[in-house]
Amino acid sequence: MSTRPEIIVVCAGGHGRVVIDVLRRAGETVAALVDADGRLHGKEVDGVKIIGGDEAVFARSPEDVVLVNARGNAPRTGAGGLDGRRRL
């Protein structure tokens, strides 16, 4: 019996809240958030715990996780603010 991979949302800002809401409305369960900002680790966003940064993702097997990019735009920066999202 195979289990479904956990959904982890990457970035815990305002766009992360929107992504969590969309996933929930689609019937999905968000297991956790990750964020590069260490000050957020251990906190929650809309009831979803921020479990750490990249290390929390790398500690899991790729088959056990689905990552959802929630990096928002940074207005008035290169390429319409999408540089950070593209790098992620």
Side-chain angles (χ1 to χ4, degrees):
M1 178 174 110
S2 67
T3 60
R4 286 184 75 181
E6 290 184 317
I7 295 174
I8 296 178
V9 174
V10 180
C11 294
H15 192 60
R17 289 180 190 274
V18 172
V19 169
I20 290 169
D21 182 55
V22 169
L23 288 167
R24 286 177 172 163
R25 288 174 185 254
E28 299 293 343
T29 300
V30 178
L33 282 151
V34 293
D35 198 283
D37 186 347
R39 298 172 294 180
L40 300 175
H41 299 173
K43 296 183 180 182
E44 291 187 1
V45 172
D46 292 343
V48 180
K49 187 171 183 177
I50 303 167
I51 59 171
D54 290 348
E55 75 287 347
V57 173
F58 296 139
R60 290 168 166 72
S61 172
E63 296 84 26
D64 295 336
V65 65
V66 170
L67 299 177
V68 179
N69 185 351
R71 171 82 186 251
N73 281 350
R76 291 178 290 271
T77 59
L82 296 176
D83 288 346
R85 187 181 288 178
R86 286 182 178 134
R87 280 192 307 274
L88 180 63

